[in-house]
Amino acid sequence: MAVDVHTHLVPKGWPDLAVACGGEGWPWLRVDSERAAMIMVGETEFRPVGPQAWDTAVRRADMDADGIDLQVVSPTPVFFGYDRPAAQAVKLARIFNDRTLETLAGDERFVPFCQVPLQDPDAACAELNRCLDAGHVGVEIGNHVGDKDLDDAGIVAFLKHCAETGTPVLVHPWDMPGGPRLDRWMARWLTGMPAETHLSIIAMILGGAFDVLPESLRICFAHGGGSFAFWLGRLENAWHRRGDIVRGCSEHPPSHYLNRFFVDTVVFESAPLRLLVDTLGEDRVLVGSDYPYPLGERPVGEVVRKAGFLTVEQQQKLLSTNAKRYLGRP
């Protein structure tokens, strides 16, 4: 068995969000043909998408071609709505969570993850509960809400609720800084995404989140955990040498927390995959692809299957065993 824990979905359609949720400038889908559409934000083109984003038959065919048995399906982060008033974000989450279940239609090869209005922790917990009752298995969250990182008290309270309900969490970078130096060559995606994910892990460590959250929390950071594994030594050195500034609220050195989270394999090459396994351990790395987007990995899991440094047992851990533990499946 092989499991892909990091894929995204875009429903084929949804109601006019300005009417359904209030406010203006919402994402919408410009359908150009049966096989081509464009995610729009206001009047700005955001990302082209094809039938892989909404057609489960196409997704299943691609899974068969890549040797993937189960696929975790999460929202596309542009739809999070964290910058909106909480009441609007609640309505938005309900629309997209319900459309996700309608699109996947109970197909057991797809594992649906919901989104929540994370700017309001109480509303986020309520929406998570509604979604778990409806058939969602986990939740995808962004790596920050405005200037609040994942050590924010409200977000920590939501993550504690996820631990208590046994809900796996996927942390995805979003809302990367822009500007003239980052708007060329997709630099926000090439440098901003790794940096944002790195920062979110640091926030949970130095902000003391891992010290107060139950060890039962199953949380995975997308895109290989960003640049965290590469710079762990720098973080560890700073924690010991400049503890007056760097230690924050953490009770232990950063390396103490490596068994508290998972990362996916969206790193594309054998050398960074080896760094992840060497740094975090063979039990903490899961296959992910970022399907169906063009910066994702295809064939899915190829970096694991071609990694000559992995034993057969280690490959099986990365391909499925770790993912089943993350998802809470026997």
Side-chain angles (χ1 to χ4, degrees):
M1 175 175 284
V3 182
D4 183 354
V5 303
H6 177 185
T7 80
H8 298 287
L9 169 144
V10 178
K12 185 67 178 292
W14 55 86
D16 184 340
L17 297 179
V19 175
C21 303
E24 300 293 336
W26 291 99
W28 57 284
L29 195 68
R30 189 189 73 206
V31 178
D32 299 323
S33 72
E34 282 296 312
R35 299 186 60 81
M38 177 69 69
I39 300 174
M40 305 288 293
V41 179
E43 297 305 314
T44 302
E45 293 184 347
F46 176 75
R47 176 176 291 164
V49 290
Q52 299 89 346
W54 59 75
D55 189 329
T56 55
V58 175
R59 295 180 79 104
R60 284 195 302 271
D62 287 345
M63 291 166 67
D64 291 340
D66 293 355
I68 298 297
D69 298 276
L70 290 177
Q71 190 184 76
V72 173
V73 183
S74 296
T76 295
V78 71
F79 304 119
F80 283 156
Y82 295 165
D83 57 338
R84 300 280 178 161
Q88 293 182 8
V90 169
K91 295 176 182 178
L92 177 75
R94 281 177 165 261
I95 290 170
F96 279 94
N97 290 335
D98 291 348
R99 287 298 169 100
T100 293
L101 294 182
E102 291 170 9
T103 301
L104 301 181
D107 190 319
E108 293 184 354
R109 293 187 68 182
F110 300 116
V111 183
F113 274 31
C114 64
Q115 67 184 63
V116 294
L118 198 58
Q119 64 268 58
D120 184 329
D122 290 338
C125 291
E127 178 60 13
L128 176 63
N129 292 344
R130 189 187 76 88
C131 288
L132 294 177
D133 289 340
H136 286 87
V137 174
V139 61
E140 180 190 50
I141 64 172
N143 68 298
H144 68 102
V145 178
D147 291 330
K148 296 178 180 179
D149 280 307
L150 299 188
D151 61 321
D152 172 76
I155 298 176
V156 170
F158 172 75
L159 293 175
K160 183 178 180 181
H161 184 68
C162 291
E164 292 170 346
T165 56
T167 304
V169 181
L170 177 65
V171 179
H172 198 286
W174 87 297
D175 193 31
M176 293 82 68
R181 296 173 60 234
L182 291 168
D183 289 340
R184 302 185 298 169
W185 318 308
M186 294 192 73
R188 281 190 288 170
W189 281 261
L190 299 176
T191 66
M193 274 195 165
E196 286 288 339
T197 309
H198 183 175
L199 178 57
S200 63
I201 299 175
I202 289 178
M204 291 197 70
I205 293 173
L206 300 183
F210 282 128
D211 290 319
V212 299
L213 286 166
E215 292 189 10
S216 59
L217 176 67
R218 303 193 304 274
I219 187 168
C220 178
F221 292 86
H223 302 289
S227 48
F228 175 81
F230 188 86
W231 289 114
L232 174 60
R234 182 176 179 86
L235 176 62
E236 190 87 358
N237 179 70
W239 194 92
H240 287 287
R241 291 178 178 268
R242 290 305 312 270
D244 56 320
I245 298 174
V246 174
R247 289 186 186 180
C249 301
S250 57
E251 296 179 3
H252 306 282
S255 58
H256 175 82
Y257 302 94
L258 298 182
N259 67 342
R260 296 296 303 275
F261 59 92
F262 299 89
V263 299
D264 71 17
T265 60
V266 188
V267 293
F268 305 101
E269 297 289 344
S270 180
L273 178 65
R274 185 165 197 160
L275 176 64
L276 288 182
V277 174
D278 288 346
T279 303
L280 298 175
E282 63 191 50
D283 296 325
R284 290 285 156 181
V285 184
L286 321 170
V287 165
S289 68
D290 210 5
Y291 177 96
Y293 296 126
L295 294 186
E297 183 192 45
R298 290 292 309 276
V300 177
E302 185 173 44
V303 67
V304 172
R305 292 186 172 102
K306 289 188 174 181
F309 66 89
L310 293 172
T311 66
V312 172
E313 181 182 2
Q314 288 173 323
Q315 281 187 328
Q316 193 58 41
K317 283 186 175 183
L318 270 62
L319 286 169
S320 68
T321 307
N322 296 342
K324 287 188 286 185
R325 193 171 78 254
Y326 165 65
L327 295 172
R329 296 192 171 204

Coordinates of all heavy atoms in Angstrom, one line a residue, residues 193-237:
M193 N 7.6 29.7 0.6 CA 6.9 28.5 1.2 C 7.8 27.7 2.1 O 7.5 27.4 3.3 CB 6.4 27.6 0.1 CG 5.0 27.9 -0.4 SD 4.3 26.6 -1.4 CE 2.6 27.1 -1.4
P194 N 9.1 27.4 1.7 CA 10.0 26.8 2.7 C 10.2 27.6 3.9 O 10.3 27.1 5.0 CB 11.3 26.6 1.9 CG 10.8 26.6 0.5 CD 9.7 27.5 0.4
A195 N 10.4 28.9 3.8 CA 10.6 29.8 4.9 C 9.4 29.8 5.9 O 9.6 29.8 7.1 CB 11.0 31.2 4.5
E196 N 8.2 30.0 5.3 CA 7.0 30.0 6.1 C 6.8 28.7 6.9 O 6.5 28.8 8.1 CB 5.8 30.3 5.3 CG 5.7 31.7 4.7 CD 5.3 32.7 5.8 OE1 4.8 32.3 6.8 OE2 5.6 33.9 5.6
T197 N 7.1 27.6 6.3 CA 6.9 26.3 7.0 C 8.0 26.2 8.1 O 7.7 25.7 9.2 CB 7.0 25.2 6.0 OG1 6.1 25.4 4.9 CG2 6.6 23.8 6.7
H198 N 9.2 26.5 7.8 CA 10.3 26.5 8.8 C 9.9 27.4 10.0 O 10.0 26.9 11.1 CB 11.5 27.1 8.1 CG 12.8 27.1 8.9 ND1 14.0 27.4 8.4 CD2 13.0 26.8 10.2 CE1 14.9 27.3 9.4 NE2 14.3 27.0 10.5
L199 N 9.4 28.6 9.7 CA 9.0 29.5 10.8 C 7.9 28.9 11.7 O 7.9 29.0 12.9 CB 8.6 30.8 10.2 CG 8.1 31.9 11.3 CD1 9.2 32.1 12.3 CD2 7.7 33.2 10.6
S200 N 6.9 28.2 11.0 CA 5.8 27.6 11.8 C 6.3 26.5 12.8 O 5.8 26.4 13.9 CB 4.7 27.1 10.9 OG 5.2 26.1 10.1
I201 N 7.3 25.7 12.3 CA 7.8 24.7 13.2 C 8.6 25.4 14.4 O 8.4 25.0 15.6 CB 8.7 23.7 12.5 CG1 7.9 23.0 11.4 CG2 9.3 22.7 13.4 CD1 8.8 22.1 10.5
I202 N 9.4 26.4 14.1 CA 10.1 27.1 15.1 C 9.2 27.7 16.1 O 9.4 27.7 17.3 CB 11.0 28.2 14.5 CG1 12.2 27.5 13.7 CG2 11.5 29.1 15.5 CD1 13.1 28.5 13.0
A203 N 8.0 28.3 15.6 CA 7.1 28.9 16.5 C 6.5 27.9 17.5 O 6.3 28.2 18.7 CB 6.0 29.5 15.7
M204 N 6.2 26.7 17.0 CA 5.7 25.7 17.9 C 6.7 25.2 18.9 O 6.3 24.8 20.1 CB 5.1 24.5 17.1 CG 3.9 24.8 16.3 SD 2.9 23.4 15.8 CE 2.3 22.8 17.3
I205 N 8.0 25.2 18.6 CA 9.0 24.8 19.5 C 9.3 25.9 20.5 O 9.2 25.8 21.7 CB 10.3 24.4 18.7 CG1 10.0 23.1 17.9 CG2 11.5 24.2 19.7 CD1 11.2 22.7 17.0
L206 N 9.8 27.1 20.0 CA 10.2 28.2 20.8 C 9.1 28.9 21.5 O 9.3 29.5 22.6 CB 11.1 29.2 20.0 CG 12.3 28.6 19.3 CD1 13.1 29.7 18.6 CD2 13.2 27.9 20.3
G207 N 7.9 28.8 20.9 CA 6.7 29.4 21.5 C 6.1 28.6 22.6 O 5.2 29.0 23.3
G208 N 6.6 27.4 22.8 CA 6.2 26.5 23.9 C 4.9 25.7 23.6 O 4.4 25.1 24.5
A209 N 4.5 25.7 22.3 CA 3.3 25.0 22.0 C 3.4 23.5 22.2 O 2.5 22.9 22.8 CB 2.9 25.3 20.5
F210 N 4.5 22.9 21.8 CA 4.7 21.5 22.0 C 4.8 21.1 23.5 O 4.5 20.0 23.8 CB 5.9 21.0 21.2 CG 5.8 20.8 19.8 CD1 6.7 21.4 18.9 CD2 4.7 20.1 19.3 CE1 6.5 21.2 17.5 CE2 4.5 19.9 17.9 CZ 5.4 20.5 17.0
D211 N 5.2 22.0 24.3 CA 5.3 21.7 25.7 C 3.9 21.7 26.4 O 3.8 21.0 27.4 CB 6.1 22.8 26.4 CG 7.6 22.7 26.1 OD1 8.1 21.6 26.0 OD2 8.2 23.8 25.8
V212 N 2.9 22.3 25.8 CA 1.6 22.3 26.5 C 0.6 21.5 25.7 O -0.5 21.1 26.2 CB 1.0 23.8 26.6 CG1 1.9 24.6 27.4 CG2 0.8 24.4 25.2
L213 N 0.9 21.1 24.5 CA 0.0 20.2 23.7 C 0.2 18.8 24.0 O 1.4 18.3 24.3 CB 0.2 20.5 22.2 CG -0.3 21.8 21.7 CD1 0.2 22.1 20.3 CD2 -1.9 21.7 21.6
P214 N -0.8 17.9 24.0 CA -0.6 16.5 24.3 C 0.3 15.9 23.2 O 0.3 16.2 22.0 CB -2.1 15.9 24.2 CG -2.9 17.1 24.3 CD -2.2 18.3 23.8
E215 N 1.0 14.9 23.6 CA 1.9 14.2 22.7 C 1.1 13.4 21.7 O 1.6 12.9 20.7 CB 2.9 13.3 23.4 CG 3.9 14.0 24.2 CD 5.0 13.1 24.8 OE1 5.0 11.9 24.4 OE2 5.8 13.6 25.6
S216 N -0.2 13.2 22.0 CA -1.1 12.5 21.0 C -1.4 13.3 19.8 O -2.0 12.7 18.8 CB -2.4 12.1 21.7 OG -3.1 13.2 22.2
L217 N -1.1 14.6 19.8 CA -1.4 15.4 18.6 C -0.6 14.9 17.4 O 0.6 14.7 17.4 CB -1.0 16.9 18.8 CG -1.2 17.8 17.6 CD1 -2.6 18.0 17.2 CD2 -0.5 19.1 17.9
R218 N -1.3 14.6 16.3 CA -0.7 14.1 15.1 C -0.7 15.3 14.1 O -1.7 15.6 13.5 CB -1.4 12.9 14.5 CG -1.5 11.8 15.5 CD -1.9 10.4 14.9 NE -3.2 10.5 14.2 CZ -4.4 10.4 14.8 NH1 -4.4 10.2 16.1 NH2 -5.5 10.4 14.1
I219 N 0.5 15.9 13.9 CA 0.6 17.1 13.0 C 1.7 16.9 12.0 O 2.8 16.4 12.4 CB 0.8 18.4 13.9 CG1 0.7 19.6 13.1 CG2 2.1 18.3 14.7 CD1 0.6 20.9 13.9
C220 N 1.4 17.3 10.8 CA 2.3 17.1 9.7 C 2.5 18.4 9.0 O 1.6 19.1 8.7 CB 1.8 16.1 8.7 SG 2.9 15.8 7.2
F221 N 3.8 18.7 8.7 CA 4.1 20.0 8.0 C 4.5 19.6 6.5 O 5.3 18.8 6.3 CB 5.3 20.7 8.7 CG 5.0 21.2 10.0 CD1 5.1 20.4 11.2 CD2 4.6 22.5 10.2 CE1 4.8 20.9 12.4 CE2 4.2 23.0 11.4 CZ 4.3 22.2 12.6
A222 N 3.8 20.3 5.6 CA 3.9 20.1 4.2 C 5.3 20.5 3.7 O 6.1 21.2 4.3 CB 2.8 20.8 3.4
H223 N 5.6 20.1 2.4 CA 6.8 20.5 1.7 C 8.1 20.2 2.5 O 9.0 21.0 2.6 CB 6.7 22.0 1.4 CG 5.5 22.3 0.5 ND1 5.4 22.0 -0.8 CD2 4.4 23.0 0.8 CE1 4.3 22.4 -1.3 NE2 3.6 23.0 -0.3
G224 N 8.1 19.0 3.1 CA 9.3 18.5 3.8 C 9.6 19.3 5.0 O 10.8 19.3 5.5
G225 N 8.6 20.0 5.6 CA 8.9 20.9 6.7 C 9.7 22.1 6.4 O 10.4 22.8 7.2
G226 N 9.7 22.5 5.1 CA 10.4 23.7 4.6 C 11.9 23.5 4.8 O 12.4 22.4 4.5
S227 N 12.6 24.5 5.3 CA 14.0 24.4 5.4 C 14.5 24.0 6.8 O 15.6 24.1 7.2 CB 14.7 25.8 5.1 OG 14.0 26.8 5.7
F228 N 13.5 23.5 7.6 CA 13.8 23.3 9.0 C 14.9 22.2 9.2 O 15.8 22.5 10.0 CB 12.5 22.8 9.8 CG 12.8 22.3 11.2 CD1 12.8 23.3 12.2 CD2 13.0 21.0 11.5 CE1 13.1 22.9 13.5 CE2 13.2 20.6 12.8 CZ 13.3 21.6 13.8
A229 N 14.9 21.1 8.5 CA 15.8 20.1 8.8 C 17.3 20.6 8.4 O 18.2 20.2 9.1 CB 15.5 18.8 7.9
F230 N 17.4 21.3 7.4 CA 18.7 21.8 7.0 C 19.3 22.8 8.0 O 20.5 22.8 8.2 CB 18.6 22.6 5.6 CG 19.9 22.9 5.0 CD1 20.6 22.0 4.3 CD2 20.5 24.2 5.3 CE1 21.9 22.3 3.7 CE2 21.7 24.5 4.7 CZ 22.4 23.6 4.0
W231 N 18.4 23.5 8.7 CA 18.9 24.6 9.6 C 18.7 24.2 11.1 O 18.9 25.1 12.0 CB 18.3 25.9 9.3 CG 18.8 26.5 8.0 CD1 18.0 26.7 6.9 CD2 20.1 27.0 7.8 NE1 18.8 27.3 5.9 CE2 20.1 27.5 6.4 CE3 21.3 27.0 8.5 CZ2 21.2 28.0 5.8 CZ3 22.4 27.5 7.9 CH2 22.4 28.0 6.6
L232 N 18.4 22.9 11.4 CA 18.2 22.5 12.8 C 19.5 22.8 13.6 O 19.4 23.3 14.7 CB 17.9 21.1 12.9 CG 17.8 20.5 14.3 CD1 16.7 21.2 15.1 CD2 17.5 19.0 14.2
G233 N 20.7 22.5 13.0 CA 21.9 22.8 13.7 C 22.1 24.2 14.1 O 22.6 24.6 15.2
R234 N 21.7 25.1 13.2 CA 21.8 26.6 13.5 C 20.8 26.9 14.6 O 21.2 27.7 15.5 CB 21.5 27.4 12.2 CG 21.6 28.9 12.4 CD 21.3 29.6 11.1 NE 21.4 31.0 11.2 CZ 22.5 31.8 11.2 NH1 23.7 31.2 11.0 NH2 22.4 33.1 11.3
L235 N 19.6 26.4 14.6 CA 18.7 26.7 15.6 C 19.1 26.1 17.0 O 19.0 26.8 18.0 CB 17.3 26.0 15.3 CG 16.2 26.1 16.3 CD1 15.8 27.6 16.6 CD2 15.0 25.4 15.8
E236 N 19.7 24.9 17.0 CA 20.2 24.3 18.2 C 21.3 25.1 18.8 O 21.4 25.4 20.0 CB 20.6 22.9 17.9 CG 20.9 22.0 19.1 CD 19.7 21.3 19.7 OE1 18.6 21.5 19.2 OE2 19.9 20.6 20.7
N237 N 22.2 25.5 17.9 CA 23.4 26.3 18.4 C 22.9 27.6 19.0 O 23.4 28.1 20.1 CB 24.3 26.6 17.2 CG 25.5 27.5 17.6 OD1 26.4 27.0 18.3 ND2 25.5 28.7 17.0

